[in-house]
Amino acid sequence: MTSDVAVPAPETAAANGHGEAHTTAGFGALTLGSIGVVYGDIGTSPLYAFREAVMAASGADGLPTPAAVLGVLSLILWALIVVVTLKYVVILLRADNNGEGGTLALMALAQRAVGTGGATIVLLGIISGALFYGDAVITPALSVLSAIEGMKDVTLTFEPYIVPLTVVILAGLFAVQSRGTARVAAFFGPIMCVWFAVLAAAAIHPIIQQPQVLLALNPLYAVSFMLHHGIIGFVTLGAVFLAVTGAEALYADLGHFGKRPIQFAWLSIVLPSLALNYLGQGALVLSDPGAIVSPFFQLFPQGFVRGTMVVLATAATVIASQAVITGAYSLTRQAIQLGLLPRFEIRHTSEAHSGQIFIPRINQLLLVFVVLLVLLFRSSSALASAYGISVTGTMVVTAMMGFVVVWKGWRWSPLAAGALIAPFLFLDLTFLTANLLKVFEGGWVPLALGAVMIILMYTWRRGSRLLFEKSRKLEFPLADLVAMLEKRPPQRVPGTAVFLTSDPLSAPTALMHSLKHYKVLHEKNVILTIETAQTPRIDPADRVRLEQISPTFSKVTLKFGFMESPNVPKALAIARKLGWQFDIMSTSFFLSRRALKPAAHSGMPRWQDRLFISLSRAANDATDYFQIPSGRVVEVGTQVTI
């Protein structure tokens, strides 16, 4: 069952944005925050990326050769420079949607640039959003598991407890999500600063011992490795990509911290620390090829120091997991507002920051899938095979939508836009192809998750449109109904009636049923439509649009950005300044609650009809979603075939 809500409408109204927040908040605090939240995922890649890439390059049995170590190192370092620094830090951070970033923000930006006929853009947005959920499931499992595996390097007696302890930590992580990230976020930045400092410091001694490792800074070593290793080089490239996973977070968290703090943190702290650590691991393996079994933890002395490092690594991976989990919440809210998913319960965990939210249903589903992955794969090496596909897929789609924004939005010539984006797209496609070789080793997991989410999003969007079109054909024109009621009014009752509808041109179903069954009309009647803009936020001055239809009827349109949670009573309070005398205690909200039934010919296959109806029943109540006081709501039931 669902209620009449607005179909997302194209909108170009300015959002209040985050630009002001970035100027008033201290640059240092924002930089510190970005280190803690944005770079948790990519910052924990040294735990497994170099090991997996060198082992792939060495084959099943052989120990790594110096050529393989230097080639892999060169590939990792230049992947960080080209994919992360050039594509994300330099180019994509400029493609902001009123200060906001992320795959769905880019989709909205590209849609606005294209104008009509943006169905392909929506499909790309659905694909990238769906693949992000795969990333959100795999990141916590892989990150925490790889950190806990460091216990083997402290003492082998811990080995049987690695998987159970990982499950316990993950369960605890998801259990505290409902408390919000505000309390622990203050610790994220300092802990990750310590983490990056330790990454860099631990690498200095091995590099001094094996200075030839610095040859890996020459990109010719990467090219030579790929030319001389054939299919093994291609397989290795899939593992090399593990070093740049988390780059999407740079763009997704643009609205939280701003462009300059994210860029400064990457160039001054994160990139140098990561590069040094990978060089240190390479130097260690050059001096002792057997260290490839666990090169990261063997950078640290045996005993207390290594044990402390396991604890710090666990903390860092929990932070990395936290970032991607909250990213899944934000993505879900954007998807709901853009009409790609049904309404879910959204709880705000901070009064000061609207972006800090908790979605119970998403939290439960993520926990179930993350724990299943840990129990199914049982080691970070096995999980690493599953990791790259979802991230590379997202990056390919991001590059495609980026081309549209540069061409249409920035008004570059198609040749110039292609020249800018094509090298990155080629690199992303190469990485994706390399990762697709691992489909049967575990890569099917993110593909299966992504496919399920694509089907759900497409079904919800398509079903909502069909239902909207079908309802519109059956509804009576609002202007004609108002003219009839003003001419021959029924019995009037005191107070105000607010009728929610997704189509302001047609008489709401709840109004028609109210007249049919109660045969009365309120003194004041408001036809309320809620629109979702293609901007992240709406300026309060543009929130409400009021139109008087007749002496007793008026239309009110409330506009919310796709990153905002709609609060109807709060928004209606703004209407008082526009002259509408609004008193919540003398107002009744009428919503139509529709019971859907499959029709013989709906425009969708029967299985998709049933899926849409199931999603509709699972949707959160409109009363809660729009934050309307439940005591002021009247629901009118109706059956609709689809």
Side-chain angles (χ1 to χ4, degrees):
M1 289 179 288
T2 184
S3 302
D4 288 329
V5 293
V7 171
E11 185 55 54
T12 56
N16 62 4
H18 280 296
E20 296 174 15
H22 296 154
T23 55
T24 54
F27 181 80
L30 288 168
T31 302
L32 185 66
S34 71
I35 291 169
V37 174
V38 176
Y39 294 111
D41 192 355
I42 200 167
T44 53
S45 295
L47 284 166
Y48 48 80
F50 179 75
R51 178 192 72 204
E52 295 301 322
V54 173
M55 288 176 79
S58 307
D61 304 315
L63 288 173
T65 62
V69 171
L70 291 175
V72 166
L73 263 181
S74 188
L75 283 168
I76 287 175
L77 293 173
W78 284 97
L80 289 171
I81 291 167
V82 176
V83 175
V84 185
T85 309
L86 294 180
K87 179 184 174 184
Y88 282 92
V89 173
V90 174
I91 296 173
L92 275 180
L93 285 184
R94 298 173 185 270
D96 67 295
N97 188 354
N98 291 89
E100 294 292 344
T103 182
L104 290 183
L106 187 64
M107 182 194 84
L109 204 62
Q111 259 192 301
R112 201 157 68 236
V114 170
T116 56
T120 306
I121 301 295
V122 173
L123 181 62
L124 290 174
I126 288 173
I127 292 170
S128 60
L131 288 173
F132 181 85
Y133 284 106
D135 186 18
V137 168
I138 295 172
T139 296
L142 175 61
S143 300
V144 177
L145 193 54
S146 62
I148 301 300
E149 282 175 346
M151 291 165 57
K152 288 190 296 187
D153 294 289
V154 179
T155 170
L156 288 173
T157 56
F158 277 127
E159 190 164 2
Y161 304 105
I162 289 173
V163 171
L165 188 56
T166 300
V167 171
V168 168
I169 289 172
L170 288 168
L173 174 64
F174 282 97
V176 299
Q177 292 301 313
S178 60
R179 299 179 183 273
T181 57
R183 292 180 184 175
V184 289
F187 297 103
F188 285 7
I191 289 173
M192 291 309 294
C193 280
V194 171
W195 171 256
F196 285 117
V198 171
L199 288 188
I204 293 171
H205 181 68
I207 293 172
I208 292 171
Q209 295 291 317
Q210 298 283 338
Q212 70 267 32
V213 77
L214 296 174
L215 292 169
L217 293 168
N218 184 345
L220 291 177
Y221 278 85
V223 175
S224 174
F225 177 83
M226 292 301 295
L227 289 175
H228 291 96
H229 283 76
I231 190 68
I232 289 177
F234 207 58
V235 172
T236 303
L237 202 59
V240 164
F241 187 78
L242 293 170
V244 297
T245 54
E248 280 287 321
L250 282 171
Y251 187 39
D253 288 315
L254 174 61
H256 294 284
F257 301 101
K259 182 171 65 178
R260 285 183 60 242
I262 290 175
Q263 290 174 329
F264 180 78
W266 172 254
L267 294 171
S268 64
I269 296 170
V270 181
L271 178 59
S273 300
L274 291 175
L276 276 172
N277 191 263
Y278 284 122
L279 287 167
Q281 291 188 49
L284 182 69
V285 175
L286 284 177
S287 60
D288 176 16
I292 192 59
V293 176
S294 181
F296 179 83
F297 285 105
Q298 289 189 38
L299 284 174
F300 304 92
Q302 180 66 276
F304 176 76
V305 174
R306 193 174 292 179
T308 305
M309 200 57 209
V310 172
V311 175
L312 181 60
T314 304
T317 54
V318 167
I319 291 170
S321 304
Q322 179 66 56
V324 81
I325 291 166
T326 52
Y329 298 153
S330 297
L331 183 80
T332 302
R333 180 167 70 172
Q334 291 182 42
I336 291 168
Q337 291 288 69
L338 290 169
L340 299 176
L341 285 175
R343 290 185 303 265
F344 293 132
E345 180 190 358
I346 297 175
R347 297 181 196 168
H348 289 265
T349 58
S350 168
E351 292 181 7
H353 304 284
S354 63
Q356 292 184 9
I357 57 173
F358 170 65
I359 304 179
R361 206 168 297 181
I362 297 298
N363 193 63
Q364 292 162 7
L365 290 171
L366 286 178
L367 172 60
V368 169
F369 282 114
V370 167
V371 170
L372 277 175
L373 278 186
V374 172
L375 296 176
L376 184 65
F377 287 90
R378 305 188 73 81
S379 78
S380 59
S381 289
L383 256 175
S385 300
Y387 196 21
I389 292 177
S390 58
V391 186
T392 48
T394 304
M395 286 185 171
V396 166
V397 175
T398 300
M400 289 177 176
M401 291 194 292
F403 168 74
V404 174
V405 171
V406 173
W407 173 29
K408 294 283 191 180
W410 297 357
R411 303 189 184 283
W412 286 31
S413 72
L415 203 63
L420 178 69
I421 299 297
F424 300 112
L425 182 59
F426 173 76
L427 196 60
D428 291 338
L429 284 168
T430 306
F431 275 127
L432 177 60
T433 309
N435 276 283
L436 285 172
L437 295 174
K438 299 184 285 188
V439 166
F440 297 108
E441 298 172 36
W444 58 269
V445 173
L447 288 178
L449 281 171
V452 169
M453 290 307 302
I454 288 169
I455 290 169
L456 290 178
M457 287 182 175
Y458 175 76
T459 299
W460 182 255
R461 182 178 172 84
R462 178 74 180 139
S464 298
R465 295 288 165 138
L466 287 171
L467 186 60
F468 178 76
E469 289 164 9
K470 187 166 285 190
S471 300
R472 193 168 192 173
K473 288 176 185 175
L474 299 173
E475 286 171 352
F476 196 76
L478 179 64
D480 295 349
L481 179 67
V482 170
M484 286 168 54
L485 292 173
E486 293 292 354
K487 199 170 183 180
R488 297 173 60 189
Q491 179 70 37
R492 297 278 184 175
V493 293
T496 302
V498 177
F499 298 94
L500 265 73
T501 181
S502 56
D503 180 12
L505 298 176
S506 302
T509 307
L511 172 58
M512 299 299 288
H513 279 258
S514 178
L515 288 168
K516 179 180 177 182
H517 295 291
Y518 304 139
K519 297 180 175 57
V520 293
L521 196 64
H522 284 70
E523 288 175 341
K524 293 179 181 177
N525 299 276
V526 176
I527 310 302
L528 177 63
T529 306
I530 298 168
E531 291 182 357
T532 300
Q534 288 188 358
T535 48
R537 287 172 178 78
I538 292 293
D539 192 294
D542 301 323
R543 177 83 67 207
V544 180
R545 191 167 67 243
L546 185 62
E547 178 190 346
Q548 196 72 34
I549 309 173
S550 75
T552 59
F553 274 88
S554 57
K555 280 186 191 176
V556 173
T557 304
L558 302 182
K559 212 171 295 180
F560 296 93
F562 63 78
M563 288 195 73
E564 296 179 300
S565 293
N567 187 322
V568 168
K570 193 174 178 181
L572 289 179
I574 300 171
R576 288 178 181 172
K577 298 175 184 176
L578 303 177
W580 179 33
Q581 299 302 312
F582 170 68
D583 178 13
I584 190 76
M585 297 315 294
S586 63
T587 300
S588 297
F589 291 84
F590 287 81
L591 282 71
S592 75
R593 181 172 282 273
R594 296 180 293 202
L596 304 181
K597 290 190 172 183
H601 304 287
S602 67
M604 294 194 300
R606 179 55 63 95
W607 68 267
Q608 214 167 8
D609 280 343
R610 296 192 182 282
L611 177 58
F612 176 71
I613 291 168
S614 298
L615 287 171
S616 185
R617 287 173 180 160
N620 195 40
D621 189 69
T623 305
D624 297 330
Y625 185 75
F626 295 119
Q627 301 178 56
I628 303 169
S630 56
R632 311 305 313 166
V633 172
V634 178
E635 289 189 342
V636 181
T638 178
Q639 282 195 353
V640 180
T641 56
I642 179 170

